[in-house]
Short mmCIF file of all heavy atoms in Angstrom, two decimals:
data_model
loop_
_atom_site.label_atom_id
_atom_site.label_comp_id
_atom_site.label_asym_id
_atom_site.label_seq_id
_atom_site.Cartn_x
_atom_site.Cartn_y
_atom_site.Cartn_z
N MET A 1 -0.81 -35.58 -0.79
CA MET A 1 -1.12 -34.19 -0.55
C MET A 1 -1.50 -34.00 0.92
O MET A 1 -2.46 -34.59 1.38
CB MET A 1 -2.31 -33.83 -1.44
CG MET A 1 -2.19 -32.55 -2.17
SD MET A 1 -3.65 -32.28 -3.23
CE MET A 1 -3.13 -30.78 -3.92
N PRO A 2 -0.76 -33.18 1.64
CA PRO A 2 -1.14 -32.92 3.04
C PRO A 2 -2.49 -32.21 3.10
O PRO A 2 -2.83 -31.43 2.20
CB PRO A 2 -0.03 -32.00 3.55
CG PRO A 2 1.04 -32.03 2.52
CD PRO A 2 0.45 -32.49 1.25
N THR A 3 -3.24 -32.46 4.16
CA THR A 3 -4.57 -31.87 4.32
C THR A 3 -4.77 -31.42 5.76
O THR A 3 -4.27 -32.06 6.69
CB THR A 3 -5.67 -32.89 3.95
OG1 THR A 3 -5.46 -33.31 2.61
CG2 THR A 3 -7.05 -32.31 4.07
N ILE A 4 -5.51 -30.33 5.92
CA ILE A 4 -5.87 -29.83 7.24
C ILE A 4 -7.34 -29.41 7.18
O ILE A 4 -7.82 -29.00 6.13
CB ILE A 4 -4.97 -28.64 7.65
CG1 ILE A 4 -5.10 -28.32 9.14
CG2 ILE A 4 -5.23 -27.42 6.80
CD1 ILE A 4 -4.02 -27.37 9.65
N THR A 5 -8.05 -29.53 8.29
CA THR A 5 -9.44 -29.10 8.34
C THR A 5 -9.51 -27.72 8.95
O THR A 5 -9.02 -27.49 10.06
CB THR A 5 -10.30 -30.09 9.15
OG1 THR A 5 -10.21 -31.37 8.54
CG2 THR A 5 -11.76 -29.66 9.17
N VAL A 6 -10.12 -26.80 8.20
CA VAL A 6 -10.24 -25.41 8.64
C VAL A 6 -11.68 -25.19 9.11
O VAL A 6 -12.62 -25.45 8.38
CB VAL A 6 -9.91 -24.44 7.48
CG1 VAL A 6 -10.01 -23.00 7.95
CG2 VAL A 6 -8.52 -24.73 6.92
N LYS A 7 -11.83 -24.69 10.33
CA LYS A 7 -13.16 -24.42 10.88
C LYS A 7 -13.43 -22.93 10.81
O LYS A 7 -12.54 -22.12 11.01
CB LYS A 7 -13.23 -24.90 12.32
CG LYS A 7 -13.09 -26.41 12.46
CD LYS A 7 -13.14 -26.84 13.89
CE LYS A 7 -14.55 -26.67 14.39
NZ LYS A 7 -14.72 -27.12 15.77
N GLY A 8 -14.68 -22.58 10.51
CA GLY A 8 -15.08 -21.18 10.51
C GLY A 8 -15.27 -20.56 9.14
O GLY A 8 -15.67 -19.41 9.04
N MET A 9 -14.98 -21.31 8.08
CA MET A 9 -15.21 -20.78 6.74
C MET A 9 -16.70 -20.87 6.43
O MET A 9 -17.31 -21.91 6.63
CB MET A 9 -14.42 -21.57 5.69
CG MET A 9 -12.93 -21.45 5.79
SD MET A 9 -12.10 -22.19 4.36
CE MET A 9 -12.60 -23.91 4.48
N SER A 10 -17.26 -19.75 5.93
CA SER A 10 -18.69 -19.75 5.65
C SER A 10 -19.05 -19.24 4.26
O SER A 10 -20.21 -19.26 3.89
CB SER A 10 -19.42 -18.91 6.70
OG SER A 10 -18.94 -17.58 6.67
N CYS A 11 -18.06 -18.76 3.51
CA CYS A 11 -18.37 -18.19 2.20
C CYS A 11 -17.17 -18.31 1.26
O CYS A 11 -16.08 -18.73 1.67
CB CYS A 11 -18.76 -16.73 2.35
SG CYS A 11 -17.43 -15.68 2.98
N GLU A 12 -17.39 -17.92 0.04
CA GLU A 12 -16.33 -17.98 -0.98
C GLU A 12 -15.15 -17.08 -0.60
O GLU A 12 -14.00 -17.40 -0.87
CB GLU A 12 -16.91 -17.58 -2.34
CG GLU A 12 -15.99 -17.84 -3.50
CD GLU A 12 -15.69 -19.31 -3.75
OE1 GLU A 12 -16.53 -20.17 -3.43
OE2 GLU A 12 -14.59 -19.60 -4.27
N HIS A 13 -15.44 -15.94 0.03
CA HIS A 13 -14.37 -15.05 0.46
C HIS A 13 -13.45 -15.75 1.47
O HIS A 13 -12.23 -15.60 1.42
CB HIS A 13 -14.95 -13.77 1.07
CG HIS A 13 -13.91 -12.84 1.61
ND1 HIS A 13 -13.09 -12.09 0.82
CD2 HIS A 13 -13.53 -12.59 2.89
CE1 HIS A 13 -12.25 -11.39 1.58
NE2 HIS A 13 -12.50 -11.67 2.84
N CYS A 14 -14.04 -16.49 2.40
CA CYS A 14 -13.26 -17.24 3.39
C CYS A 14 -12.35 -18.25 2.68
O CYS A 14 -11.16 -18.37 3.00
CB CYS A 14 -14.17 -17.99 4.35
SG CYS A 14 -15.23 -16.95 5.37
N LYS A 15 -12.92 -18.95 1.73
CA LYS A 15 -12.17 -19.95 0.96
C LYS A 15 -10.99 -19.29 0.25
O LYS A 15 -9.87 -19.81 0.29
CB LYS A 15 -13.10 -20.61 -0.05
CG LYS A 15 -12.43 -21.59 -0.97
CD LYS A 15 -13.43 -22.17 -1.96
CE LYS A 15 -12.72 -23.00 -3.02
NZ LYS A 15 -13.67 -23.58 -3.97
N GLN A 16 -11.22 -18.15 -0.36
CA GLN A 16 -10.16 -17.44 -1.07
C GLN A 16 -9.09 -16.93 -0.11
O GLN A 16 -7.90 -16.96 -0.43
CB GLN A 16 -10.75 -16.29 -1.87
CG GLN A 16 -11.57 -16.77 -3.05
CD GLN A 16 -12.28 -15.61 -3.76
OE1 GLN A 16 -12.13 -14.45 -3.39
NE2 GLN A 16 -13.05 -15.95 -4.78
N ALA A 17 -9.50 -16.48 1.07
CA ALA A 17 -8.54 -15.99 2.07
C ALA A 17 -7.61 -17.11 2.51
O ALA A 17 -6.39 -16.91 2.62
CB ALA A 17 -9.27 -15.39 3.27
N VAL A 18 -8.17 -18.29 2.76
CA VAL A 18 -7.34 -19.43 3.17
C VAL A 18 -6.42 -19.85 2.03
O VAL A 18 -5.23 -20.09 2.24
CB VAL A 18 -8.23 -20.61 3.64
CG1 VAL A 18 -7.41 -21.87 3.85
CG2 VAL A 18 -8.98 -20.24 4.91
N THR A 19 -6.95 -19.89 0.82
CA THR A 19 -6.14 -20.27 -0.34
C THR A 19 -4.96 -19.32 -0.50
O THR A 19 -3.81 -19.75 -0.64
CB THR A 19 -7.00 -20.26 -1.62
OG1 THR A 19 -8.07 -21.20 -1.45
CG2 THR A 19 -6.18 -20.65 -2.84
N ARG A 20 -5.22 -18.02 -0.48
CA ARG A 20 -4.15 -17.03 -0.66
C ARG A 20 -3.12 -17.12 0.47
O ARG A 20 -1.91 -17.01 0.22
CB ARG A 20 -4.72 -15.62 -0.74
CG ARG A 20 -5.36 -15.31 -2.07
CD ARG A 20 -5.65 -13.82 -2.22
NE ARG A 20 -6.53 -13.30 -1.18
CZ ARG A 20 -7.84 -13.23 -1.27
NH1 ARG A 20 -8.45 -13.64 -2.35
NH2 ARG A 20 -8.55 -12.74 -0.27
N ALA A 21 -3.58 -17.30 1.70
CA ALA A 21 -2.66 -17.37 2.84
C ALA A 21 -1.74 -18.58 2.71
O ALA A 21 -0.53 -18.48 2.97
CB ALA A 21 -3.44 -17.43 4.15
N LEU A 22 -2.30 -19.72 2.31
CA LEU A 22 -1.46 -20.91 2.16
C LEU A 22 -0.50 -20.78 0.99
O LEU A 22 0.66 -21.19 1.08
CB LEU A 22 -2.34 -22.16 2.01
CG LEU A 22 -3.17 -22.55 3.24
CD1 LEU A 22 -4.01 -23.78 2.94
CD2 LEU A 22 -2.28 -22.79 4.45
N GLU A 23 -0.97 -20.21 -0.11
CA GLU A 23 -0.10 -20.05 -1.29
C GLU A 23 1.07 -19.11 -1.01
O GLU A 23 2.10 -19.19 -1.68
CB GLU A 23 -0.91 -19.51 -2.47
CG GLU A 23 -1.85 -20.53 -3.06
CD GLU A 23 -2.76 -19.98 -4.15
OE1 GLU A 23 -2.94 -18.74 -4.24
OE2 GLU A 23 -3.29 -20.80 -4.92
N ALA A 24 0.94 -18.24 -0.02
CA ALA A 24 2.00 -17.29 0.31
C ALA A 24 3.12 -17.92 1.15
O ALA A 24 4.17 -17.31 1.32
CB ALA A 24 1.41 -16.10 1.06
N ILE A 25 2.91 -19.14 1.63
CA ILE A 25 3.93 -19.81 2.45
C ILE A 25 5.01 -20.37 1.54
O ILE A 25 4.70 -21.12 0.59
CB ILE A 25 3.30 -20.95 3.28
CG1 ILE A 25 2.24 -20.40 4.23
CG2 ILE A 25 4.38 -21.72 4.04
CD1 ILE A 25 1.42 -21.48 4.92
N PRO A 26 6.28 -20.05 1.79
CA PRO A 26 7.35 -20.63 0.99
C PRO A 26 7.33 -22.16 1.07
O PRO A 26 7.21 -22.72 2.16
CB PRO A 26 8.62 -20.07 1.63
CG PRO A 26 8.18 -18.82 2.33
CD PRO A 26 6.77 -19.11 2.79
N GLY A 27 7.38 -22.80 -0.08
CA GLY A 27 7.37 -24.25 -0.13
C GLY A 27 6.01 -24.84 -0.43
O GLY A 27 5.90 -26.03 -0.72
N VAL A 28 4.95 -24.03 -0.35
CA VAL A 28 3.61 -24.51 -0.66
C VAL A 28 3.34 -24.26 -2.13
O VAL A 28 3.54 -23.16 -2.64
CB VAL A 28 2.54 -23.81 0.21
CG1 VAL A 28 1.14 -24.16 -0.26
CG2 VAL A 28 2.72 -24.21 1.66
N GLY A 29 2.87 -25.32 -2.81
CA GLY A 29 2.54 -25.21 -4.23
C GLY A 29 1.05 -25.04 -4.41
O GLY A 29 0.44 -24.15 -3.82
N ALA A 30 0.45 -25.92 -5.19
CA ALA A 30 -0.98 -25.84 -5.49
C ALA A 30 -1.82 -26.06 -4.23
O ALA A 30 -1.56 -26.97 -3.45
CB ALA A 30 -1.34 -26.89 -6.54
N VAL A 31 -2.83 -25.20 -4.05
CA VAL A 31 -3.71 -25.27 -2.88
C VAL A 31 -5.14 -25.53 -3.36
O VAL A 31 -5.60 -24.92 -4.31
CB VAL A 31 -3.66 -23.96 -2.07
CG1 VAL A 31 -4.66 -23.97 -0.94
CG2 VAL A 31 -2.26 -23.70 -1.55
N THR A 32 -5.82 -26.44 -2.67
CA THR A 32 -7.23 -26.72 -2.92
C THR A 32 -7.97 -26.59 -1.61
O THR A 32 -7.58 -27.22 -0.62
CB THR A 32 -7.42 -28.14 -3.48
OG1 THR A 32 -6.63 -28.29 -4.66
CG2 THR A 32 -8.86 -28.43 -3.80
N VAL A 33 -9.03 -25.78 -1.58
CA VAL A 33 -9.83 -25.61 -0.38
C VAL A 33 -11.28 -25.97 -0.72
O VAL A 33 -11.85 -25.43 -1.66
CB VAL A 33 -9.75 -24.16 0.16
CG1 VAL A 33 -10.63 -24.00 1.39
CG2 VAL A 33 -8.31 -23.79 0.48
N ASP A 34 -11.86 -26.89 0.06
CA ASP A 34 -13.24 -27.31 -0.12
C ASP A 34 -14.09 -26.64 0.95
O ASP A 34 -13.99 -26.98 2.13
CB ASP A 34 -13.33 -28.83 -0.03
CG ASP A 34 -14.72 -29.36 -0.34
OD1 ASP A 34 -15.72 -28.70 0.03
OD2 ASP A 34 -14.81 -30.44 -0.94
N LEU A 35 -14.91 -25.70 0.54
CA LEU A 35 -15.72 -24.94 1.49
C LEU A 35 -16.71 -25.83 2.23
O LEU A 35 -16.92 -25.67 3.43
CB LEU A 35 -16.46 -23.82 0.75
CG LEU A 35 -17.25 -22.83 1.59
CD1 LEU A 35 -16.37 -22.13 2.61
CD2 LEU A 35 -17.93 -21.81 0.69
N ALA A 36 -17.29 -26.81 1.55
CA ALA A 36 -18.31 -27.68 2.15
C ALA A 36 -17.75 -28.53 3.28
O ALA A 36 -18.39 -28.71 4.32
CB ALA A 36 -18.94 -28.56 1.09
N THR A 37 -16.54 -29.05 3.11
CA THR A 37 -15.97 -29.94 4.12
C THR A 37 -14.96 -29.23 5.03
O THR A 37 -14.60 -29.76 6.08
CB THR A 37 -15.25 -31.13 3.46
OG1 THR A 37 -14.13 -30.65 2.70
CG2 THR A 37 -16.19 -31.93 2.58
N GLY A 38 -14.48 -28.09 4.59
CA GLY A 38 -13.46 -27.37 5.36
C GLY A 38 -12.06 -27.90 5.12
O GLY A 38 -11.11 -27.45 5.76
N ALA A 39 -11.90 -28.83 4.19
CA ALA A 39 -10.59 -29.43 3.94
C ALA A 39 -9.74 -28.52 3.06
O ALA A 39 -10.18 -28.05 2.02
CB ALA A 39 -10.75 -30.79 3.28
N ALA A 40 -8.52 -28.29 3.50
CA ALA A 40 -7.54 -27.55 2.71
C ALA A 40 -6.37 -28.49 2.44
O ALA A 40 -5.81 -29.07 3.36
CB ALA A 40 -7.07 -26.31 3.46
N SER A 41 -6.03 -28.64 1.16
CA SER A 41 -4.93 -29.51 0.76
C SER A 41 -3.93 -28.71 -0.05
O SER A 41 -4.30 -27.71 -0.67
CB SER A 41 -5.44 -30.67 -0.09
OG SER A 41 -6.40 -31.42 0.59
N TRP A 42 -2.69 -29.15 -0.05
CA TRP A 42 -1.66 -28.43 -0.78
C TRP A 42 -0.55 -29.38 -1.20
O TRP A 42 -0.39 -30.46 -0.63
CB TRP A 42 -1.09 -27.29 0.07
CG TRP A 42 -0.41 -27.77 1.32
CD1 TRP A 42 0.91 -28.02 1.51
CD2 TRP A 42 -1.05 -28.07 2.58
NE1 TRP A 42 1.15 -28.45 2.79
CE2 TRP A 42 -0.04 -28.49 3.46
CE3 TRP A 42 -2.36 -28.04 3.03
CZ2 TRP A 42 -0.32 -28.88 4.78
CZ3 TRP A 42 -2.62 -28.42 4.34
CH2 TRP A 42 -1.61 -28.83 5.20
N THR A 43 0.21 -28.97 -2.20
CA THR A 43 1.41 -29.69 -2.58
C THR A 43 2.59 -28.91 -2.00
O THR A 43 2.46 -27.73 -1.66
CB THR A 43 1.56 -29.79 -4.11
OG1 THR A 43 1.60 -28.47 -4.66
CG2 THR A 43 0.41 -30.58 -4.72
N GLU A 44 3.70 -29.59 -1.86
CA GLU A 44 4.89 -28.94 -1.31
C GLU A 44 6.04 -29.02 -2.31
O GLU A 44 6.32 -30.08 -2.86
CB GLU A 44 5.30 -29.61 0.00
CG GLU A 44 4.28 -29.42 1.10
CD GLU A 44 4.69 -30.07 2.43
OE1 GLU A 44 5.69 -30.82 2.47
OE2 GLU A 44 3.98 -29.84 3.42
N THR A 45 6.69 -27.88 -2.53
CA THR A 45 7.87 -27.85 -3.36
C THR A 45 9.12 -28.04 -2.50
O THR A 45 10.20 -28.27 -3.02
CB THR A 45 7.96 -26.52 -4.13
OG1 THR A 45 7.98 -25.43 -3.19
CG2 THR A 45 6.77 -26.35 -5.06
N GLN A 46 8.94 -27.91 -1.20
CA GLN A 46 9.95 -28.21 -0.19
C GLN A 46 9.19 -28.50 1.10
O GLN A 46 8.03 -28.13 1.22
CB GLN A 46 10.91 -27.03 0.00
CG GLN A 46 10.26 -25.78 0.57
CD GLN A 46 11.19 -24.58 0.56
OE1 GLN A 46 11.97 -24.40 -0.34
NE2 GLN A 46 11.10 -23.76 1.58
N PRO A 47 9.81 -29.19 2.05
CA PRO A 47 9.09 -29.53 3.28
C PRO A 47 8.59 -28.29 4.03
O PRO A 47 9.31 -27.30 4.16
CB PRO A 47 10.14 -30.27 4.12
CG PRO A 47 11.13 -30.79 3.12
CD PRO A 47 11.16 -29.75 2.02
N VAL A 48 7.34 -28.36 4.48
CA VAL A 48 6.72 -27.28 5.25
C VAL A 48 6.17 -27.89 6.54
O VAL A 48 5.41 -28.86 6.49
CB VAL A 48 5.57 -26.61 4.47
CG1 VAL A 48 4.91 -25.52 5.30
CG2 VAL A 48 6.06 -26.06 3.14
N ALA A 49 6.57 -27.34 7.67
CA ALA A 49 6.10 -27.85 8.96
C ALA A 49 4.60 -27.63 9.10
O ALA A 49 4.08 -26.58 8.74
CB ALA A 49 6.84 -27.17 10.11
N TYR A 50 3.91 -28.64 9.62
CA TYR A 50 2.47 -28.57 9.84
C TYR A 50 2.12 -27.38 10.73
O TYR A 50 1.12 -26.70 10.52
CB TYR A 50 1.99 -29.88 10.46
CG TYR A 50 0.51 -30.09 10.44
CD1 TYR A 50 -0.14 -30.49 9.28
CD2 TYR A 50 -0.25 -29.89 11.59
CE1 TYR A 50 -1.51 -30.70 9.26
CE2 TYR A 50 -1.63 -30.10 11.58
CZ TYR A 50 -2.25 -30.50 10.42
OH TYR A 50 -3.60 -30.69 10.40
N SER A 51 2.98 -27.08 11.69
CA SER A 51 2.74 -25.96 12.61
C SER A 51 2.73 -24.62 11.86
O SER A 51 2.01 -23.70 12.25
CB SER A 51 3.78 -25.94 13.72
OG SER A 51 5.08 -25.78 13.19
N VAL A 52 3.50 -24.51 10.80
CA VAL A 52 3.52 -23.28 10.00
C VAL A 52 2.15 -23.09 9.34
O VAL A 52 1.59 -22.00 9.35
CB VAL A 52 4.64 -23.33 8.94
CG1 VAL A 52 4.51 -22.17 7.95
CG2 VAL A 52 6.00 -23.32 9.60
N ILE A 53 1.61 -24.17 8.79
CA ILE A 53 0.30 -24.14 8.16
C ILE A 53 -0.76 -23.73 9.19
O ILE A 53 -1.58 -22.84 8.95
CB ILE A 53 -0.06 -25.50 7.54
CG1 ILE A 53 0.98 -25.92 6.49
CG2 ILE A 53 -1.48 -25.51 7.00
CD1 ILE A 53 1.02 -25.10 5.24
N GLU A 54 -0.73 -24.38 10.35
CA GLU A 54 -1.69 -24.07 11.42
C GLU A 54 -1.62 -22.60 11.82
O GLU A 54 -2.64 -21.94 11.96
CB GLU A 54 -1.42 -24.92 12.65
CG GLU A 54 -1.85 -26.35 12.52
CD GLU A 54 -1.59 -27.13 13.81
OE1 GLU A 54 -0.55 -26.91 14.46
OE2 GLU A 54 -2.45 -27.95 14.15
N ASN A 55 -0.42 -22.09 12.02
CA ASN A 55 -0.24 -20.72 12.48
C ASN A 55 -0.76 -19.71 11.46
O ASN A 55 -1.37 -18.70 11.84
CB ASN A 55 1.22 -20.44 12.81
CG ASN A 55 1.66 -21.13 14.08
OD1 ASN A 55 0.85 -21.48 14.92
ND2 ASN A 55 2.97 -21.36 14.21
N VAL A 56 -0.52 -19.96 10.19
CA VAL A 56 -1.00 -19.04 9.15
C VAL A 56 -2.53 -19.02 9.13
O VAL A 56 -3.14 -17.95 9.02
CB VAL A 56 -0.42 -19.44 7.77
CG1 VAL A 56 -1.16 -18.76 6.63
CG2 VAL A 56 1.06 -19.10 7.72
N ILE A 57 -3.15 -20.17 9.24
CA ILE A 57 -4.61 -20.24 9.23
C ILE A 57 -5.18 -19.53 10.46
O ILE A 57 -6.14 -18.77 10.35
CB ILE A 57 -5.09 -21.70 9.16
CG1 ILE A 57 -4.75 -22.26 7.77
CG2 ILE A 57 -6.58 -21.81 9.43
CD1 ILE A 57 -4.94 -23.75 7.62
N LYS A 58 -4.58 -19.74 11.62
CA LYS A 58 -5.05 -19.07 12.83
C LYS A 58 -4.85 -17.57 12.75
O LYS A 58 -5.68 -16.80 13.22
CB LYS A 58 -4.32 -19.64 14.05
CG LYS A 58 -4.74 -21.04 14.40
CD LYS A 58 -3.94 -21.60 15.57
CE LYS A 58 -4.33 -23.02 15.88
NZ LYS A 58 -3.51 -23.58 16.97
N LYS A 59 -3.76 -17.14 12.13
CA LYS A 59 -3.44 -15.71 12.02
C LYS A 59 -4.49 -14.96 11.21
O LYS A 59 -4.75 -13.79 11.47
CB LYS A 59 -2.06 -15.53 11.39
CG LYS A 59 -1.57 -14.12 11.36
CD LYS A 59 -0.16 -14.02 10.85
CE LYS A 59 0.33 -12.59 10.87
NZ LYS A 59 1.71 -12.47 10.40
N ILE A 60 -5.12 -15.63 10.24
CA ILE A 60 -6.15 -14.96 9.44
C ILE A 60 -7.54 -15.14 10.02
O ILE A 60 -8.55 -14.77 9.40
CB ILE A 60 -6.09 -15.37 7.95
CG1 ILE A 60 -6.35 -16.87 7.78
CG2 ILE A 60 -4.80 -14.94 7.31
CD1 ILE A 60 -6.56 -17.29 6.33
N GLY A 61 -7.64 -15.74 11.21
CA GLY A 61 -8.90 -15.77 11.93
C GLY A 61 -9.71 -17.05 11.90
O GLY A 61 -10.87 -17.05 12.31
N PHE A 62 -9.11 -18.14 11.44
CA PHE A 62 -9.83 -19.41 11.40
C PHE A 62 -9.22 -20.38 12.40
O PHE A 62 -8.11 -20.19 12.88
CB PHE A 62 -9.80 -20.01 9.99
CG PHE A 62 -10.47 -19.12 8.97
CD1 PHE A 62 -9.74 -18.31 8.15
CD2 PHE A 62 -11.86 -19.10 8.85
CE1 PHE A 62 -10.34 -17.48 7.22
CE2 PHE A 62 -12.48 -18.27 7.93
CZ PHE A 62 -11.72 -17.46 7.11
N GLU A 63 -9.95 -21.44 12.70
CA GLU A 63 -9.47 -22.49 13.59
C GLU A 63 -9.10 -23.71 12.77
O GLU A 63 -9.60 -23.89 11.66
CB GLU A 63 -10.54 -22.88 14.60
CG GLU A 63 -10.94 -21.75 15.53
CD GLU A 63 -12.03 -22.17 16.50
OE1 GLU A 63 -12.10 -23.36 16.84
OE2 GLU A 63 -12.81 -21.30 16.89
N VAL A 64 -8.23 -24.53 13.32
CA VAL A 64 -7.87 -25.78 12.66
C VAL A 64 -8.31 -26.94 13.53
O VAL A 64 -8.40 -26.83 14.75
CB VAL A 64 -6.36 -25.88 12.35
CG1 VAL A 64 -5.96 -24.84 11.34
CG2 VAL A 64 -5.54 -25.73 13.60
N GLN A 65 -8.59 -28.05 12.88
CA GLN A 65 -9.04 -29.22 13.61
C GLN A 65 -8.06 -30.33 13.41
O GLN A 65 -7.45 -30.49 12.41
CB GLN A 65 -10.42 -29.62 13.09
CG GLN A 65 -11.05 -30.71 13.86
CD GLN A 65 -12.50 -30.94 13.39
OE1 GLN A 65 -12.99 -30.28 12.51
NE2 GLN A 65 -13.15 -31.89 14.01
#
């Protein structure tokens, strides 16, 4: 499962925003976001470029590490 660290999440709403944004990407399957660690993981139904994931997270106002 690919994983990325999302910086700037502080509440359940942030977690849900990241989850929904990642689920909207074509090729992304199940998404798990851990608010405590900032880790976001997902399954892929087709290959998804890491840069696509980064850009979507940045577009909704968070940083990636």
Side-chain angles (χ1 to χ4, degrees):
M1 226 178 182
T3 302
I4 193 168
T5 301
V6 182
K7 296 179 71 177
M9 294 189 298
S10 60
C11 63
E12 191 65 29
H13 176 74
C14 297
K15 176 182 172 179
Q16 291 174 1
V18 171
T19 301
R20 284 192 302 268
L22 293 178
E23 288 175 341
I25 299 171
V28 171
V31 175
T32 304
V33 178
D34 185 324
L35 186 58
T37 64
S41 302
W42 62 95
T43 59
E44 294 181 352
T45 58
Q46 65 188 36
V48 178
Y50 194 78
S51 61
V52 170
I53 301 292
E54 285 182 321
N55 289 337
V56 165
I57 291 170
K58 289 177 182 178
K59 186 174 182 179
I60 62 170
F62 298 100
E63 296 179 29
V64 294
Q65 187 173 359

